[in-house]
Amino acid sequence: MESWQKQMQNHVHTLDALKKFINVTEQEERAITEMHTRWGTTPYFAALMDKNDPNCPIRRQVVPSLLEQKNTYGLANYLIWKENRATDEVRPDSIARQYQDRVAFTVTDVCANYCRHCFRKELVVDRELQLRFDVEEGLDWIRGHPEVRDVLITGGDPFLLSDDKLAYLIDQLRNMPHLQMIRFGTRTPIVLPQRITEGLKKVLAGRHPVPIWINTQCNHPKEITEETARAVYDLLTCGVNVGNQAVLLKGINDDVPTFRKLHQKLLTVRIRPYYVFYCEPAPGIDHFRTPVEKGAELVRDAIRGHTTGLAQPMYVIATNIGKIPLMPDYYIMDKNETEYTLRNYQGKTTKWPNIPE
Ligand SMILES: *Cc1c(COP(=O)(O)O)cnc(C)c1O
Ligand code: SF4
């Protein structure tokens, strides 16, 4: 198996390198040469792209598009607003806060794949926004906030840090008595499964009273390979659960068969669907967005009842005031003093007795 460091050294981020994997279209070539944007992926993920189809679901997440220059519906200074960076509470740049008991802690702005639909695009991809990700400063802030019991380490992709840095981070957090869990958001099981090494397993493993949870991001069944299955299995053997946070993406996973297959296939490699996010109104990603209702319709038509409850994510919009669930609401047809009329996924109805308060 090729090492993850080698995957990063051979990162595909020039036109010439890309041409070794796909037949680049004229539009794609123009986007790459004309736009100032950070782009690129691992050779592993690049090899999953369709050579000839520019609409390949993986290719659209990897290769820049001229459509990114258009912005009709996106909000200016999106990330500052979304992550409450302009509020009165003084926090380091590395800490984003929407909740009392948990925070997002950004430790890097480097990624293995620069997703074209990234909601942190201004920071991670286009780099118009400059923030300081000082790990010590972030740790000090968390240390001084005993109401925080859950830290979500994010980026960028935190698993691009070295084993030593991750070990230090975990150790420091576990030494704070108020912390009850540590979470990582990392796309590496999908875009760089080679990162899940014996060394990393040693860093993560152990039945420590402060558990580690991981959420990855997989948006299409094509992204799941034997390598993904191996990486996830190895994480589970360390006592680390792996969930998925998909992004609803127009033309990629917004149809019933793909949406269902994605969630079923995730379970076959032991990844538990957690969230499906509405694609956020960051500037320059209008072409990835659907109407808001679309996600709820897909949960209703593709997975509710059609497949196991284990495959059911919660459909949410991640707003500046926290995540807001927008699940389909069609089950209660009628209700009176004594009974409910309930409808199932096939439209069949049943009666259920009610108990007065
Ligand atoms: C998403 C997010 C969290 C974690 O939310 P959960 O619903 O607990 O997964 C915490 N803080 C911020 C700023 C977030 O964006
Ligand atoms: S891995 Fe996450 S942070 Fe990095 S570009 Fe993709 S969506 Fe953005």
Side-chain angles (χ1 to χ4, degrees), residues 110-121 124-125 154-157 186-187 191 217:
V110 177
C111 295
N113 181 71
Y114 293 103
C115 312
R116 303 323 301 168
H117 57 274
C118 180
F119 77 89
R120 295 207 165 117
K121 203 166 200 276
V124 175
V125 177
T154 182
D157 196 319
T186 172
R187 236 194 140 174
V191 300
Q217 184 196 142

Side-chain angles (χ1 to χ4, degrees), residues 31 35-37 60-61 63-79 114-123 125-126 128 249 279-289:
M35 285 169 25
H36 293 284
T37 182
R60 283 196 53 211
Q61 295 180 61
V63 183
S65 160
L66 290 168
L67 293 171
E68 291 170 37
Q69 291 171 313
K70 288 215 186 92
N71 181 39
T72 309
Y73 305 103
L75 307 176
N77 295 320
Y78 179 69
L79 208 56
Y114 293 103
C115 312
R116 303 323 301 168
H117 57 274
C118 180
F119 77 89
R120 295 207 165 117
K121 203 166 200 276
E122 299 149 287
L123 176 78
V125 177
D126 293 340
E128 286 152 5
L249 297 169
C279 182
E280 297 179 34
I285 56 174
D286 287 352
H287 54 296
F288 285 113
R289 281 211 303 293

Side-chain angles (χ1 to χ4, degrees), residues 173-288:
L173 290 169
R174 278 178 165 168
N175 276 327
M176 301 180 198
H178 54 286
L179 273 201
Q180 295 175 4
M181 55 193 278
I182 297 170
R183 291 193 275 171
F184 285 96
T186 172
R187 236 194 140 174
T188 54
I190 301 299
V191 300
L192 181 64
Q194 296 80 1
R195 177 66 188 97
I196 316 305
T197 58
E198 288 304 313
L200 182 64
K201 280 167 69 181
K202 284 206 184 78
V203 171
L204 300 174
R207 198 170 65 83
H208 193 281
V210 176
I212 296 172
W213 296 75
I214 286 178
N215 275 309
T216 192
Q217 184 196 142
C218 176
N219 301 320
H220 190 278
K222 245 185 106 169
E223 294 167 36
I224 299 168
T225 68
E226 206 28 58
E227 273 293 287
T228 320
R230 196 276 312 164
V232 174
Y233 185 80
D234 281 358
L235 287 167
L236 289 169
T237 63
C238 299
V240 175
N241 271 284
V242 184
N244 189 52
Q245 308 194 131
V247 184
L248 179 61
L249 297 169
K250 189 161 141 187
I252 291 179
N253 58 16
D254 67 337
D255 64 283
V256 166
T258 305
F259 199 78
R260 185 181 299 154
K261 193 169 171 202
L262 168 64
H263 290 95
Q264 290 176 333
K265 200 169 172 190
L266 284 166
L267 287 185
T268 69
V269 294
R270 302 176 172 81
I271 300 177
R272 175 77 150 88
Y274 176 46
Y275 282 142
V276 168
F277 287 115
Y278 179 66
C279 182
E280 297 179 34
I285 56 174
D286 287 352
H287 54 296
F288 285 113

Side-chain angles (χ1 to χ4, degrees), residues 123-141:
L123 176 78
V124 175
V125 177
D126 293 340
R127 310 187 87 179
E128 286 152 5
L129 185 64
Q130 301 284 320
L131 295 174
R132 231 161 51 89
F133 299 125
D134 184 322
V135 169
E136 289 308 324
E137 195 186 30
L139 287 169
D140 281 344
W141 186 92

